Amino acid sequence: MDTEHIQRTFVEYFEEHGHRRITGSTLLPPPGGPVLFTTAGMHPLTPYLEGRPHPLGTRLVNVQRCLRTTDLEEVGDATHLTVFEMLGTWSLGDYDGSTSLDWGYGLLTEGLGIDPGLLHATVHGGDDRTGPDTDSLRVWQELGVPVEPTVDANWWSNGPVGPCGPDSEIFLWSGDTPPRSTPTRDERWVEVWNHVMMRYRRLEDGSLVPLPRRNVDTGLGLERLASLLQGRSSVFECDVFDPWRRLVPDLWPLDEPSLRLVYDHLRSAVVVIGDRVRPAATGQGYVLRRLVRRVLTVLWRDDPSRSLGDLPLELVSHTLDHFRQSGEPGDVRRLLLEEERRFGRLLERGRKVLARPRFRGPLREEDFHHLHDTHGLPRELVTGLRPDLGGS
Ligand code: SER
Protein backbone atom coordinates (compact mmCIF):
# COMPACT_ATOMS: atom_id res chain seq x y z
CA MET A 1 0.00 0.00 0.00
CA ASP A 2 1.86 3.09 -1.19
CA THR A 3 1.51 6.63 0.13
CA GLU A 4 -0.74 7.70 -2.77
CA HIS A 5 -3.14 4.89 -1.94
CA ILE A 6 -3.16 5.74 1.78
CA GLN A 7 -3.87 9.42 1.00
CA ARG A 8 -6.70 8.54 -1.33
CA THR A 9 -8.26 6.07 1.09
CA PHE A 10 -8.05 8.64 3.90
CA VAL A 11 -9.57 11.51 1.93
CA GLU A 12 -12.36 9.39 0.40
CA TYR A 13 -13.28 7.87 3.76
CA PHE A 14 -13.76 11.31 5.30
CA GLU A 15 -15.56 12.61 2.21
CA GLU A 16 -18.01 9.74 2.71
CA HIS A 17 -18.45 11.06 6.24
CA GLY A 18 -19.45 14.51 4.99
CA HIS A 19 -16.03 16.23 4.88
CA ARG A 20 -14.99 18.64 2.13
CA ARG A 21 -11.44 18.45 0.86
CA ILE A 22 -9.44 21.67 1.13
CA THR A 23 -6.19 22.27 -0.71
CA GLY A 24 -3.07 22.05 1.43
CA SER A 25 -1.06 25.28 1.79
CA THR A 26 2.64 25.81 1.14
CA LEU A 27 5.17 25.43 3.95
CA LEU A 28 5.03 29.18 4.51
CA PRO A 29 2.50 30.40 7.05
CA PRO A 30 1.03 33.90 6.64
CA PRO A 31 3.51 36.59 7.83
CA GLY A 32 3.33 37.63 11.47
CA GLY A 33 2.39 34.17 12.77
CA PRO A 34 4.13 32.43 15.67
CA VAL A 35 6.14 29.96 13.53
CA LEU A 36 8.57 30.13 10.59
CA PHE A 37 7.07 27.15 8.78
CA THR A 38 3.80 25.27 8.80
CA THR A 39 4.39 22.58 11.41
CA ALA A 40 0.87 21.12 11.55
CA GLY A 41 -2.14 20.84 9.27
CA MET A 42 -4.13 23.10 11.59
CA HIS A 43 -1.92 26.18 11.09
CA PRO A 44 -3.59 27.51 7.97
CA LEU A 45 -6.94 26.88 9.67
CA THR A 46 -6.26 28.83 12.86
CA PRO A 47 -8.79 31.65 12.16
CA TYR A 48 -11.53 29.04 11.58
CA LEU A 49 -10.65 27.12 14.73
CA GLU A 50 -10.93 30.44 16.53
CA GLY A 51 -14.48 30.99 15.28
CA ARG A 52 -14.55 32.40 11.73
CA PRO A 53 -16.99 30.40 9.53
CA HIS A 54 -15.19 28.35 6.87
CA PRO A 55 -16.59 28.75 3.32
CA LEU A 56 -16.64 24.97 2.85
CA GLY A 57 -18.50 24.20 6.06
CA THR A 58 -17.72 22.51 9.36
CA ARG A 59 -16.15 19.19 8.26
CA LEU A 60 -12.83 19.43 6.44
CA VAL A 61 -10.11 17.06 5.28
CA ASN A 62 -6.72 17.72 3.65
CA VAL A 63 -3.13 16.71 3.04
CA GLN A 64 -0.66 19.29 4.33
CA ARG A 65 3.10 19.37 3.97
CA CYS A 66 4.80 20.31 7.23
CA LEU A 67 8.32 21.13 8.36
CA ARG A 68 9.55 20.63 11.91
CA THR A 69 13.01 21.83 12.88
CA THR A 70 12.49 20.81 16.51
CA ASP A 71 13.10 17.27 15.30
CA LEU A 72 16.30 18.11 13.36
CA GLU A 73 18.56 16.34 15.85
CA GLU A 74 16.31 13.27 15.82
CA VAL A 75 16.39 12.91 12.05
CA GLY A 76 17.98 9.59 11.21
CA ASP A 77 15.98 7.58 13.71
CA ALA A 78 13.14 5.39 12.47
CA THR A 79 10.28 7.88 12.71
CA HIS A 80 11.34 11.53 12.30
CA LEU A 81 11.54 13.55 9.10
CA THR A 82 12.08 17.28 8.67
CA VAL A 83 9.48 17.63 5.90
CA PHE A 84 6.58 15.23 6.13
CA GLU A 85 2.95 15.07 5.10
CA MET A 86 0.11 15.24 7.55
CA LEU A 87 -3.31 13.89 6.70
CA GLY A 88 -5.76 16.05 8.64
CA THR A 89 -9.43 16.28 9.53
CA TRP A 90 -11.37 19.00 11.29
CA SER A 91 -14.68 19.33 12.99
CA LEU A 92 -15.33 23.07 13.35
CA GLY A 93 -17.86 22.93 16.17
CA ASP A 94 -19.54 19.97 14.44
CA TYR A 95 -19.09 16.34 15.69
CA ASP A 96 -17.32 15.59 18.96
CA GLY A 97 -14.03 13.92 19.82
CA SER A 98 -15.61 10.51 20.47
CA THR A 99 -17.01 10.42 16.93
CA SER A 100 -13.61 11.39 15.55
CA LEU A 101 -11.90 8.52 17.42
CA ASP A 102 -14.58 6.09 16.37
CA TRP A 103 -14.16 7.03 12.68
CA GLY A 104 -10.39 6.95 13.08
CA TYR A 105 -10.56 3.40 14.38
CA GLY A 106 -12.87 2.46 11.47
CA LEU A 107 -10.48 3.85 8.88
CA LEU A 108 -7.40 2.19 10.36
CA THR A 109 -8.97 -1.24 10.81
CA GLU A 110 -11.53 -1.57 8.00
CA GLY A 111 -10.26 1.04 5.51
CA LEU A 112 -6.55 0.27 5.81
CA GLY A 113 -6.77 -3.29 7.12
CA ILE A 114 -4.72 -2.86 10.31
CA ASP A 115 -5.09 -5.65 12.87
CA PRO A 116 -6.93 -4.02 15.84
CA GLY A 117 -4.66 -6.02 18.16
CA LEU A 118 -1.73 -3.83 17.05
CA LEU A 119 -3.32 -0.59 18.28
CA HIS A 120 -2.86 1.26 21.56
CA ALA A 121 -4.29 4.63 22.56
CA THR A 122 -3.43 7.30 25.10
CA VAL A 123 -5.80 9.87 26.61
CA HIS A 124 -5.49 12.90 28.82
CA GLY A 125 -5.64 11.81 32.45
CA GLY A 126 -6.68 15.19 33.88
CA ASP A 127 -4.71 17.98 35.60
CA ASP A 128 -5.28 21.44 37.02
CA ARG A 129 -6.34 22.72 33.55
CA THR A 130 -9.01 20.18 32.78
CA GLY A 131 -10.54 16.96 34.15
CA PRO A 132 -9.74 13.49 32.77
CA ASP A 133 -10.91 12.85 29.22
CA THR A 134 -13.48 10.22 30.17
CA ASP A 135 -15.28 10.43 26.79
CA SER A 136 -12.19 9.31 24.86
CA LEU A 137 -11.38 6.72 27.52
CA ARG A 138 -14.86 5.24 27.12
CA VAL A 139 -14.57 5.05 23.30
CA TRP A 140 -11.32 3.09 23.50
CA GLN A 141 -12.65 0.78 26.20
CA GLU A 142 -15.77 0.05 24.17
CA LEU A 143 -13.67 -0.67 21.08
CA GLY A 144 -11.42 -2.96 23.12
CA VAL A 145 -8.26 -0.92 22.40
CA PRO A 146 -5.82 -0.74 25.35
CA VAL A 147 -5.54 2.82 26.59
CA GLU A 148 -3.04 4.64 28.80
CA PRO A 149 -3.79 7.98 30.50
CA THR A 150 -0.97 10.53 30.60
CA VAL A 151 -0.87 14.27 31.33
CA ASP A 152 1.72 16.33 29.44
CA ALA A 153 2.01 13.94 26.48
CA ASN A 154 -1.73 14.30 25.87
CA TRP A 155 -2.04 18.06 25.61
CA TRP A 156 -1.48 19.72 22.26
CA SER A 157 -0.87 23.41 21.68
CA ASN A 158 0.11 25.47 18.72
CA GLY A 159 2.98 27.33 20.39
CA PRO A 160 2.80 29.36 23.58
CA VAL A 161 -0.43 31.13 22.61
CA GLY A 162 -3.37 30.04 20.48
CA PRO A 163 -5.74 27.10 20.13
CA CYS A 164 -5.01 24.04 22.28
CA GLY A 165 -6.62 21.19 24.17
CA PRO A 166 -6.35 17.65 25.46
CA ASP A 167 -5.69 14.96 22.89
CA SER A 168 -5.96 11.24 22.34
CA GLU A 169 -3.15 9.62 20.37
CA ILE A 170 -3.26 6.37 18.42
CA PHE A 171 -0.14 4.17 18.36
CA LEU A 172 0.73 1.24 16.16
CA TRP A 173 2.97 -1.63 17.27
CA SER A 174 6.20 -1.78 15.23
CA GLY A 175 7.96 -4.61 17.06
CA ASP A 176 8.56 -8.11 15.75
CA THR A 177 7.19 -9.71 18.92
CA PRO A 178 3.51 -9.61 19.93
CA PRO A 179 2.62 -6.16 21.33
CA ARG A 180 3.45 -5.53 24.95
CA SER A 181 3.76 -2.74 27.50
CA THR A 182 2.42 0.77 26.77
CA PRO A 183 3.37 3.76 24.58
CA THR A 184 5.13 5.65 27.38
CA ARG A 185 7.22 2.59 28.35
CA ASP A 186 8.10 0.97 25.02
CA GLU A 187 9.14 2.99 21.99
CA ARG A 188 8.12 0.24 19.61
CA TRP A 189 4.69 1.80 19.98
CA VAL A 190 4.82 4.44 17.24
CA GLU A 191 2.44 7.39 17.36
CA VAL A 192 0.58 7.71 14.06
CA TRP A 193 -2.52 9.81 14.65
CA ASN A 194 -3.33 12.57 17.07
CA HIS A 195 -6.92 13.66 17.77
CA VAL A 196 -6.97 17.02 19.57
CA MET A 197 -10.12 18.18 21.38
CA MET A 198 -9.39 21.78 20.50
CA ARG A 199 -11.56 23.62 22.96
CA TYR A 200 -9.29 26.30 24.45
CA ARG A 201 -7.19 29.25 23.50
CA ARG A 202 -4.12 30.03 25.57
CA LEU A 203 -3.53 33.75 26.17
CA GLU A 204 -0.24 35.63 26.63
CA ASP A 205 -0.51 35.35 30.42
CA GLY A 206 -0.79 31.54 30.15
CA SER A 207 -4.47 31.39 31.09
CA LEU A 208 -6.95 29.30 29.09
CA VAL A 209 -10.25 30.59 27.74
CA PRO A 210 -12.83 28.40 25.98
CA LEU A 211 -12.98 28.79 22.20
CA PRO A 212 -16.36 29.86 20.79
CA ARG A 213 -16.80 26.33 19.34
CA ARG A 214 -15.65 22.89 20.44
CA ASN A 215 -13.46 21.72 17.56
CA VAL A 216 -11.63 18.53 16.78
CA ASP A 217 -8.28 18.72 14.95
CA THR A 218 -6.59 15.51 13.88
CA GLY A 219 -3.27 14.82 12.18
CA LEU A 220 -1.87 11.56 10.88
CA GLY A 221 1.80 11.24 9.85
CA LEU A 222 1.68 9.80 6.33
CA GLU A 223 5.24 8.47 5.93
CA ARG A 224 5.16 6.90 9.39
CA LEU A 225 1.95 5.06 8.72
CA ALA A 226 3.13 4.06 5.23
CA SER A 227 6.36 2.54 6.55
CA LEU A 228 4.46 0.51 9.14
CA LEU A 229 1.87 -0.67 6.61
CA GLN A 230 4.67 -1.58 4.20
CA GLY A 231 6.35 -3.63 6.95
CA ARG A 232 9.46 -1.41 6.89
CA SER A 233 11.54 -0.61 9.91
CA SER A 234 11.92 3.14 9.23
CA VAL A 235 10.31 6.04 7.40
CA PHE A 236 13.32 6.08 5.06
CA GLU A 237 12.26 2.74 3.65
CA CYS A 238 8.73 3.71 2.64
CA ASP A 239 7.99 4.23 -1.06
CA VAL A 240 8.60 8.01 -0.90
CA PHE A 241 12.33 7.32 -0.55
CA ASP A 242 12.61 4.58 -3.22
CA PRO A 243 14.43 6.74 -5.79
CA TRP A 244 16.75 8.17 -3.12
CA ARG A 245 17.72 4.69 -1.93
CA ARG A 246 18.23 3.58 -5.52
CA LEU A 247 20.49 6.46 -6.60
CA VAL A 248 22.32 8.03 -3.67
CA PRO A 249 24.35 5.15 -2.14
CA ASP A 250 26.24 4.55 -5.41
CA LEU A 251 26.92 8.24 -5.84
CA TRP A 252 27.96 8.89 -2.22
CA PRO A 253 28.84 5.69 -0.36
CA LEU A 254 28.01 6.56 3.27
CA ASP A 255 26.95 4.71 6.40
CA GLU A 256 23.21 4.30 6.97
CA PRO A 257 22.76 7.17 9.51
CA SER A 258 24.54 9.57 7.14
CA LEU A 259 22.49 8.41 4.17
CA ARG A 260 19.30 9.03 6.13
CA LEU A 261 20.40 12.56 6.98
CA VAL A 262 21.29 13.23 3.34
CA TYR A 263 17.92 11.91 2.08
CA ASP A 264 15.94 13.84 4.64
CA HIS A 265 17.76 17.17 4.45
CA LEU A 266 18.17 17.29 0.67
CA ARG A 267 14.56 16.33 0.07
CA SER A 268 13.48 18.98 2.60
CA ALA A 269 15.77 21.58 1.02
CA VAL A 270 14.22 20.90 -2.41
CA VAL A 271 10.67 21.31 -1.04
CA VAL A 272 11.59 24.51 0.80
CA ILE A 273 13.17 25.93 -2.38
CA GLY A 274 10.08 24.74 -4.28
CA ASP A 275 8.06 26.96 -1.92
CA ARG A 276 10.28 29.87 -3.02
CA VAL A 277 12.55 30.24 0.01
CA ARG A 278 16.15 31.23 -0.75
CA PRO A 279 19.19 30.69 1.52
CA ALA A 280 19.66 33.59 3.94
CA ALA A 281 21.28 34.57 7.21
CA THR A 282 17.99 34.66 9.13
CA GLY A 283 14.48 33.20 9.25
CA GLN A 284 13.23 30.61 6.78
CA GLY A 285 16.27 31.08 4.56
CA TYR A 286 18.55 30.23 7.46
CA VAL A 287 16.75 26.95 8.07
CA LEU A 288 17.35 26.11 4.40
CA ARG A 289 21.01 27.10 4.77
CA ARG A 290 21.42 24.87 7.84
CA LEU A 291 19.88 21.90 6.03
CA VAL A 292 22.30 22.27 3.12
CA ARG A 293 25.31 22.83 5.36
CA ARG A 294 24.51 19.78 7.49
CA VAL A 295 24.40 17.68 4.31
CA LEU A 296 27.71 19.09 3.08
CA THR A 297 29.37 18.51 6.45
CA VAL A 298 28.43 14.83 6.18
CA LEU A 299 29.41 14.52 2.49
CA TRP A 300 32.77 16.22 2.93
CA ARG A 301 33.71 14.33 6.10
CA ASP A 302 35.50 11.65 4.12
CA ASP A 303 35.58 13.08 0.59
CA PRO A 304 35.78 16.87 0.07
CA SER A 305 35.34 16.46 -3.68
CA ARG A 306 31.68 15.46 -3.34
CA SER A 307 29.32 18.05 -4.77
CA LEU A 308 25.60 18.77 -4.88
CA GLY A 309 26.14 19.49 -8.57
CA ASP A 310 26.09 15.67 -8.92
CA LEU A 311 22.67 15.31 -7.30
CA PRO A 312 20.58 13.40 -9.86
CA LEU A 313 17.93 15.70 -11.34
CA GLU A 314 15.52 12.78 -11.14
CA LEU A 315 15.52 13.17 -7.33
CA VAL A 316 14.77 16.88 -7.58
CA SER A 317 11.95 16.42 -10.08
CA HIS A 318 10.51 13.43 -8.16
CA THR A 319 10.30 15.62 -5.04
CA LEU A 320 8.88 18.70 -6.83
CA ASP A 321 6.29 16.51 -8.58
CA HIS A 322 5.32 14.76 -5.37
CA PHE A 323 4.57 18.12 -3.73
CA ARG A 324 3.04 19.53 -6.93
CA GLN A 325 5.58 22.35 -7.05
CA SER A 326 6.34 24.13 -10.27
CA GLY A 327 10.11 24.88 -9.95
CA GLU A 328 12.64 23.85 -12.63
CA PRO A 329 14.79 20.94 -11.33
CA GLY A 330 17.90 22.43 -12.96
CA ASP A 331 17.35 25.80 -11.22
CA VAL A 332 16.88 24.09 -7.86
CA ARG A 333 20.12 22.16 -8.25
CA ARG A 334 21.97 25.32 -9.33
CA LEU A 335 20.78 27.07 -6.20
CA LEU A 336 22.05 24.19 -4.06
CA LEU A 337 25.38 24.36 -5.83
CA GLU A 338 25.69 28.13 -5.26
CA GLU A 339 25.02 27.57 -1.59
CA GLU A 340 27.63 24.82 -1.55
CA ARG A 341 30.23 27.21 -3.02
CA ARG A 342 29.37 29.88 -0.47
CA PHE A 343 29.80 27.36 2.34
CA GLY A 344 33.08 26.13 0.87
CA ARG A 345 34.47 29.70 0.82
CA LEU A 346 33.29 30.32 4.37
CA LEU A 347 34.96 27.15 5.62
CA GLU A 348 38.20 28.13 3.96
CA ARG A 349 38.09 31.54 5.59
CA GLY A 350 37.11 29.93 8.90
CA ARG A 351 40.10 27.58 8.85
CA LYS A 352 42.48 30.46 8.21
CA VAL A 353 41.03 32.63 10.95
CA LEU A 354 40.94 29.80 13.49
CA ALA A 355 44.59 29.02 12.78
CA ARG A 356 45.57 32.40 14.25
CA PRO A 357 47.20 32.10 17.67
CA ARG A 358 44.40 34.06 19.35
CA PHE A 359 41.85 31.34 18.49
CA ARG A 360 43.91 28.22 19.05
CA GLY A 361 43.02 27.52 22.69
CA PRO A 362 39.61 27.40 24.37
CA LEU A 363 37.25 30.08 23.03
CA ARG A 364 35.37 32.51 25.24
CA GLU A 365 31.94 33.90 24.59
CA GLU A 366 33.48 37.17 23.32
CA ASP A 367 35.62 35.18 20.83
CA PHE A 368 32.48 33.60 19.38
CA HIS A 369 30.92 37.06 19.07
CA HIS A 370 34.04 38.44 17.43
CA LEU A 371 34.24 35.50 14.99
CA HIS A 372 30.63 36.03 14.08
CA ASP A 373 30.52 39.80 13.89
CA THR A 374 33.94 40.46 12.35
CA HIS A 375 34.55 37.34 10.26
CA GLY A 376 30.98 36.17 9.53
CA LEU A 377 31.63 32.76 11.12
CA PRO A 378 28.55 31.43 12.93
CA ARG A 379 29.05 29.53 16.17
CA GLU A 380 28.03 26.17 14.72
CA LEU A 381 30.53 26.55 11.90
CA VAL A 382 33.28 27.34 14.41
CA THR A 383 32.42 24.35 16.60
CA GLY A 384 32.22 22.22 13.44
CA LEU A 385 35.80 23.21 12.54
CA ARG A 386 36.93 22.80 16.14
CA PRO A 387 35.22 19.63 17.46
CA ASP A 388 37.36 19.89 20.61
CA LEU A 389 35.08 22.79 21.65
CA GLY A 390 32.26 20.31 22.17
CA GLY A 391 29.78 21.65 19.60
CA SER A 392 28.06 19.71 16.82
N1 SER B 1 -2.42 19.53 15.54
C1 SER B 1 -2.18 18.18 15.97
C2 SER B 1 -0.78 17.71 15.67
O1 SER B 1 -0.06 18.37 14.96
C3 SER B 1 -3.17 17.26 15.30
O2 SER B 1 -3.20 17.54 13.95
O3 SER B 1 -0.38 16.69 16.17
Side-chain angles (χ1 to χ4, degrees):
M1 184 171 302
D2 63 19
T3 40
E4 281 294 323
H5 184 107
I6 298 171
Q7 275 190 33
R8 217 175 26 253
T9 308
F10 183 94
V11 171
E12 283 170 6
Y13 178 88
F14 282 100
E15 282 175 342
E16 279 161 23
H17 289 85
H19 293 64
R20 300 285 300 278
R21 180 169 185 169
I22 51 170
T23 316
S25 307
T26 71
L27 283 173
L28 313 182
V35 286
L36 280 181
F37 288 101
T38 298
T39 57
M42 53 74 66
H43 274 159
L45 291 168
T46 304
Y48 308 104
L49 290 162
E50 289 183 335
R52 190 195 297 173
H54 194 283
L56 291 183
T58 55
R59 296 184 182 192
L60 307 173
V61 58
N62 88 352
V63 181
Q64 174 65 51
R65 54 178 172 271
C66 299
L67 185 151
R68 291 191 178 175
T69 48
T70 40
D71 296 339
L72 216 51
E73 303 306 328
E74 290 178 63
V75 164
D77 73 5
T79 55
H80 288 89
L81 292 171
T82 305
V83 166
F84 63 98
E85 286 183 286
M86 193 182 272
L87 307 182
T89 61
W90 292 273
S91 158
L92 300 174
D94 190 314
Y95 56 85
D96 58 14
S98 307
T99 307
S100 180
L101 295 175
D102 204 39
W103 284 344
Y105 177 84
L107 172 63
L108 292 176
T109 55
E110 283 154 40
L112 296 170
I114 295 173
D115 172 359
L118 298 178
L119 297 177
H120 205 303
T122 58
V123 297
H124 193 263
D127 58 10
D128 52 3
R129 294 173 288 207
T130 173
D133 183 0
T134 48
D135 291 343
S136 300
L137 185 68
R138 195 171 322 112
V139 174
W140 293 123
Q141 286 170 339
E142 282 171 12
L143 291 169
V145 173
V147 53
E148 178 181 33
T150 85
V151 176
D152 291 339
N154 283 100
W155 182 270
W156 198 87
S157 59
N158 172 36
V161 296
C164 56
D167 67 42
S168 179
E169 298 176 3
I170 306 176
F171 292 75
L172 198 50
W173 179 250
S174 66
D176 42 24
T177 64
R180 54 170 175 247
S181 196
T182 67
T184 60
R185 296 205 196 96
D186 191 322
E187 60 185 26
R188 286 174 295 177
W189 286 109
V190 176
E191 183 203 333
V192 289
W193 200 350
N194 189 7
H195 292 237
V196 185
M197 320 309 156
M198 205 159 254
R199 299 200 289 262
Y200 303 101
R201 180 209 309 240
R202 190 160 36 206
L203 306 179
E204 298 280 353
D205 65 6
S207 60
L208 293 181
V209 292
L211 285 168
R213 296 186 295 213
R214 293 163 73 89
N215 310 296
V216 186
D217 151 50
T218 86
L220 180 151
L222 177 62
E223 296 84 351
R224 258 188 210 184
L225 181 65
S227 60
L228 293 168
L229 291 179
Q230 292 165 15
R232 305 299 169 87
S233 55
S234 89
V235 281
F236 297 95
E237 284 158 75
C238 80
D239 60 289
V240 163
F241 288 97
D242 282 348
W244 293 83
R245 282 199 320 278
R246 180 164 47 80
L247 295 171
V248 175
D250 284 343
L251 178 64
W252 298 317
L254 294 163
D255 58 26
E256 180 61 20
S258 306
L259 280 172
R260 288 180 176 190
L261 185 141
V262 168
Y263 300 158
D264 172 83
H265 284 18
L266 276 183
R267 177 171 174 268
S268 302
V270 171
V271 185
V272 170
I273 294 170
D275 275 346
R276 313 212 176 284
V277 174
R278 297 294 173 259
T282 55
Q284 292 155 338
Y286 187 62
V287 172
L288 172 59
R289 177 160 282 173
R290 272 194 74 200
L291 290 169
V292 177
R293 288 182 177 182
R294 281 169 59 97
V295 169
L296 290 168
T297 304
V298 165
L299 291 184
W300 288 343
R301 206 166 36 210
D302 40 38
D303 184 355
S305 72
R306 290 177 179 148
S307 168
L308 297 179
D310 297 329
L311 179 68
L313 282 182
E314 179 187 336
L315 296 177
V316 181
S317 50
H318 173 261
T319 305
L320 295 173
D321 289 350
H322 180 89
F323 289 95
R324 294 178 180 78
Q325 294 174 306
S326 59
E328 262 302 310
D331 292 344
V332 172
R333 188 171 67 181
R334 234 183 329 276
L335 225 133
L336 291 170
L337 190 57
E338 276 166 28
E339 187 56 17
E340 169 183 313
R341 294 196 175 126
R342 197 174 298 125
F343 186 47
R345 287 193 297 271
L346 194 62
L347 281 179
E348 214 173 282
R349 191 162 76 236
R351 278 193 201 98
K352 278 191 197 133
V353 173
L354 289 177
R356 292 180 192 166
R358 168 174 174 189
F359 301 117
R360 285 211 191 126
L363 297 182
R364 291 157 304 170
E365 214 32 46
E366 62 194 78
D367 294 321
F368 280 110
H369 285 302
H370 175 82
L371 287 166
H372 184 266
D373 298 343
T374 313
H375 299 285
L377 301 173
R379 178 186 292 261
E380 62 186 27
L381 185 128
V382 173
T383 53
L385 287 170
R386 286 274 312 272
D388 57 300
L389 297 174
S392 57

